[in-house]
Amino acid sequence: MSAQTGTSVQQQTVTPRHKHKSGKYIVGYLLSLVLTGISFSLALTHSMSFQPLIVVLVILAAFQIVVQLFFFMHVTESDGPAYHAMGLVLGLFFTFAIAFMSVWIMGFNSIVS
């Protein structure tokens, strides 16, 4: 009886808890294509002035990050320790800090010259 229970526990740990369905990948891929297409068309058509365009592109990039994290990197399916989430938040902070500082430096360069 106990050997049978041990086998069932072992089978539960070996089998993946979350099956990755291809539909989720397709939805993520399509969302990524739509977000990239919107960004690309806004940048090419010059339909907005520079400052609002940058804000819209940053917002679209943030949505792209969320799509990548949830549909491809399965950020909600991990059983890891809590410091993994803190590492993710810290990585996002540095990413946005670098992006915003790069935009600020480019804007400052245009003012000086």
Side-chain angles (χ1 to χ4, degrees):
M1 180 77 178
S2 65
Q4 190 176 32
T5 305
T7 304
S8 66
V9 169
Q10 185 179 16
Q11 287 175 347
Q12 287 178 353
T13 58
V14 171
T15 58
R17 286 183 41 206
H18 305 283
K19 293 183 178 180
H20 302 288
K21 297 179 181 177
S22 61
K24 190 174 181 179
Y25 291 111
I26 292 171
V27 169
Y29 179 69
L30 291 176
L31 283 174
S32 296
L33 284 179
V34 167
L35 289 171
T36 303
I38 291 171
S39 301
F40 193 67
S41 66
L42 284 176
L44 282 184
T45 59
H46 302 287
S47 60
M48 304 173 83
S49 61
F50 181 73
Q51 294 295 333
L53 177 66
I54 293 297
V55 171
V56 170
L57 288 179
V58 168
I59 291 170
L60 289 172
F63 282 133
Q64 186 78 263
I65 290 171
V66 170
V67 166
Q68 296 293 321
L69 286 175
F70 282 96
F71 286 97
F72 297 114
M73 299 176 83
H74 309 285
V75 72
T76 58
E77 297 175 5
S78 175
D79 291 334
Y83 63 86
H84 285 172
M86 292 300 294
L88 180 65
V89 170
L90 188 63
L92 288 174
F93 173 75
F94 284 125
T95 300
F96 282 111
I98 289 171
F100 285 123
M101 292 301 163
S102 298
V103 169
W104 179 73
I105 288 171
M106 288 187 286
F108 184 73
N109 190 23
S110 66
I111 292 172
V112 172
S113 56

